[in-house]
Amino acid sequence: MTGTNNLFAVGRIKALESNIIDINLWHRLFDMNEKEALRILQENHYGGDSGDQQELETMIDNELASVHQLIKEVSPQPILTNLFLLPVDGYNLKLLLKEKVQEVNVHSFLHEGGSISIDQMIDSLNADRFDFFPEPIERALLDLATQKDSRIISYTIDQAIYSQIFNILAQKKNHNHLLIEYFKSKIDFTNIITVLRGNALHWEAIRVKPMLLKGGEISLKIMESVVGAEKDKLIRKLSTGRYSLTIRKVLDEFYNDMKMISLEQSFNNALLSIVFEEKNDIFGLGPIINYLLQKEHEAQVLRVMFTGKRAGIELSISELGIV
Amino acid sequence: MSTGIIIAIFGAAICAALAGIGSAYGVQCAGQAAAGVCAEKPDLFGKLLVLQALPGTQGIYGFLVAVLIMVQTGVISGAPVDLTIQQGLAYLFAGLPIGIVGWWSGIYQGKTAAASILMTGKDPDASAKGITMTALVETYAILALLVSILLLFGIKI
């Protein structure tokens, strides 16, 4: 990418990067009780400057909504940066579909900041008119018209979201190696977590296979072959492709402590490191995407940290993926 | 007007134009980054302005050499000297170092200035380091300016 209008966007993002919670603040938050930690977050203007005492979830929602809004505003290539907002749409769609099935109101759990407006999404779903959505999502919604199994709803929507992402990347052939690498790795890491979770719960292959997402670098055949497999076989087969060393390291660590949360955080960090390599490419999308992912990671860590504080669970700072 | 003086005028024009293009691009590049940072941190305007201005010097160097050529050849006083083709070419080639180096160093200095502006946006205390790093690119424009001036003063008419 050579466009210099990128520089304005990167300038705004770099000025805001100093607001990302740094390692010192993480340590302080980690050592405090819930109430004090919330106060510190508010003092650091996390979640905006409403002045009122807010719940953590409200603060996180406000913070992420403002980040998503900023990305939409400044992005020199909104088609590409919107790909990172599609998972928010996926999350909202899953909730709204489950709302229909289970007849509960989920509107307060919906997240602002996706690439599709929530109101439009609700109107389309209520009217059963799906042509408003991108083609893979429209197809998935038609397939799910009578579906009541929330698990099938979840992975059908996830697959549709990734299909849409790769459709757009295929149309924009230039300058997207970072994005292809990121999303392919994300699918691989998600599939590995699915397999390991299935293995831990002793699920049979027939239950795990439909949950595996297509489009990753590691073939579905390899993924399916390790469902129910022992440690050595699993590590040997999955340690393949561009990130074979990372996968081997993360799996070795997982089999040492058997903590799913650490596994998820390690894969999350591996994904962040893919984008991190390009965070100083001031003429590319790297800094913008890196900021978005850092803020999403920050929100995720805050949620886990506060849940741990409320439940009285001792979590180490490395388990939370803070490096 | 002789062919020689036309070639010398072309030399003056080319060194001012190329160095000016380089500076314009560099200042624009740094300006966009500065505008982005200022949108979030307006109090950094002063520090960013210095960084944005740095790539502008190449254009001034190009202008300076162009004026020297015009003075030496009498174009500026309205009484152009009757130059031979060889003398005209000598003026053209004397202007080329600052023209070409000013063009490219302006572009590269602009990119370095933009990166330094982004660094300052993240850490305002780092602006002095940014200025130093950006100013280093200037070295080659100054050397080219020196060569152009020495060549100019070596031409006998």
Side-chain angles (χ1 to χ4, degrees):
Chain A
M1 191 182 303
T2 55
T4 48
N5 56 352
N6 213 54
L7 283 168
F8 176 78
V10 178
R12 284 190 69 179
I13 294 290
K14 286 285 173 186
L16 290 168
E17 264 185 10
S18 53
N19 297 340
I20 295 175
I21 298 176
D22 63 14
I23 189 76
N24 295 327
L25 187 54
W26 278 123
H27 277 286
R28 283 177 65 201
L29 291 170
F30 197 79
D31 295 336
M32 288 169 177
N33 63 35
E34 188 188 345
K35 206 174 166 187
E36 282 176 333
L38 270 177
R39 187 176 52 78
I40 290 292
L41 281 177
Q42 211 152 21
E43 280 176 14
N44 281 277
H45 311 290
Y46 189 85
D49 288 318
S50 71
D52 305 325
Q53 183 71 37
Q54 295 178 47
E55 291 291 319
L56 177 75
E57 271 311 313
T58 315
M59 289 168 87
I60 290 176
D61 285 349
N62 290 346
E63 185 73 11
L64 285 182
S66 69
V67 170
H68 290 153
Q69 187 55 37
L70 171 76
I71 301 296
K72 281 184 199 169
E73 259 177 54
V74 303
S75 176
Q77 293 213 52
I79 290 178
L80 294 180
T81 46
N82 275 353
L83 298 180
F84 290 84
L85 308 182
L86 273 172
V88 180
D89 298 327
Y91 166 86
N92 288 337
L93 266 178
K94 283 188 236 175
L95 273 187
L96 288 169
L97 289 172
K98 286 172 189 174
E99 179 187 64
K100 265 190 166 180
V101 174
Q102 292 165 9
E103 293 176 357
V104 285
N105 191 322
V106 297
H107 288 208
S108 59
F109 299 105
L110 296 174
H111 287 170
E112 292 286 348
S115 64
I116 303 170
S117 107
I118 291 179
D119 289 339
Q120 279 181 305
M121 197 182 275
I122 292 171
D123 291 346
S124 301
L125 289 177
N126 286 341
D128 281 332
R129 283 187 57 88
F130 308 134
D131 51 350
F132 158 75
F133 294 99
E135 196 261 329
I137 300 174
E138 181 192 357
R139 217 170 338 110
L141 289 171
L142 288 170
D143 291 345
L144 292 170
T146 55
Q147 187 54 252
K148 297 214 181 297
D149 187 332
S150 57
R151 214 162 35 89
I152 296 176
I153 291 175
S154 262
Y155 63 70
T156 308
I157 293 296
D158 282 340
Q159 188 62 70
I161 293 288
Y162 281 111
S163 299
Q164 172 63 5
I165 287 171
F166 285 112
N167 279 356
I168 289 172
L169 287 176
Q171 287 163 19
K172 295 197 72 82
K173 285 192 174 128
N174 295 328
H175 316 300
N176 59 16
H177 68 280
L178 167 72
L179 306 188
I180 291 174
E181 202 178 318
Y182 174 83
F183 286 113
K184 277 186 174 288
S185 304
K186 191 167 184 183
I187 289 176
D188 286 339
F189 298 162
T190 306
N191 283 343
I192 293 173
I193 291 170
T194 304
V195 168
L196 288 172
R197 194 170 278 145
N199 288 355
L201 295 168
H202 304 291
W203 283 355
E204 289 175 14
I206 196 162
R207 194 168 179 190
V208 178
K209 279 179 189 174
M211 296 168 76
L212 298 173
L213 298 165
K214 295 176 202 130
E217 197 184 338
I218 303 175
S219 73
L220 283 185
K221 206 173 164 188
I222 294 177
M223 287 289 174
E224 288 168 9
S225 73
V226 294
V227 175
E230 291 299 314
K231 173 190 163 185
D232 290 339
K233 182 187 171 191
L234 190 137
I235 294 179
R236 183 167 37 83
K237 288 229 166 191
L238 291 181
S239 303
T240 176
R242 193 181 170 95
Y243 291 96
S244 58
L245 290 176
T246 307
I247 293 170
R248 179 177 287 277
K249 186 171 168 276
V250 172
L251 290 177
D252 279 335
E253 283 168 7
F254 171 70
Y255 278 106
N256 279 337
D257 62 14
M258 296 302 282
K259 284 186 179 169
M260 198 54 85
I261 185 172
S262 306
L263 177 82
E264 286 175 0
Q265 291 297 355
S266 300
F267 276 135
N268 203 15
N269 283 345
L271 280 173
L272 287 176
S273 68
I274 295 172
V275 180
F276 197 78
E277 284 172 20
E278 307 232 3
K279 83 171 186 126
N280 291 323
D281 173 15
I282 62 172
F283 294 99
L285 286 178
I288 300 170
I289 295 167
N290 177 64
Y291 178 72
L292 171 64
L293 296 180
Q294 291 284 351
K295 289 301 284 183
E296 285 182 343
H297 180 244
E298 181 185 81
Q300 190 189 349
V301 173
L302 280 174
R303 283 196 179 106
V304 177
M305 176 190 274
F306 275 79
T307 308
K309 283 183 193 294
R310 281 175 206 142
I313 300 168
E314 290 280 329
L315 290 167
S316 71
I317 206 147
S318 60
E319 275 176 327
L320 293 176
I322 301 162
V323 285
Chain B
M1 236 184 229
S2 66
T3 310
I5 194 73
I6 290 169
I7 295 171
I9 290 171
F10 180 68
I14 201 90
C15 73
L18 290 181
I21 289 169
S23 274
Y25 180 87
V27 173
Q28 173 253 15
C29 213
Q32 285 198 346
V37 173
C38 267
E40 298 297 334
K41 295 184 176 173
D43 49 319
L44 289 179
F45 176 72
K47 286 180 176 177
L48 303 184
L49 191 64
V50 176
L51 282 162
Q52 193 198 341
L54 282 175
T57 49
Q58 282 83 347
I60 297 170
Y61 300 157
F63 170 75
L64 178 71
V65 172
V67 169
L68 283 175
I69 293 174
M70 288 188 282
V71 167
Q72 284 197 6
T73 54
V75 172
I76 214 158
S77 60
V81 181
D82 199 16
L83 297 177
T84 63
I85 290 178
Q86 285 84 347
Q87 286 168 328
L89 282 173
Y91 278 111
L92 169 64
F93 287 123
L96 282 184
I98 189 56
I100 294 170
V101 178
W103 176 25
W104 284 101
S105 70
I107 291 170
Y108 289 129
Q109 195 172 27
K111 289 181 177 179
T112 315
S116 299
I117 284 167
L118 300 178
M119 182 175 75
T120 306
K122 195 174 175 185
D123 176 11
D125 294 336
S127 70
K129 291 175 195 161
I131 290 170
T132 311
M133 288 186 273
T134 308
L136 283 176
V137 185
E138 188 86 9
T139 315
Y140 304 97
I142 293 171
L143 294 177
L145 171 68
L146 200 60
V147 169
S148 284
I149 290 174
L150 291 173
L151 286 173
L152 276 182
F153 287 118
I155 299 170
K156 300 279 183 263
I157 51 174

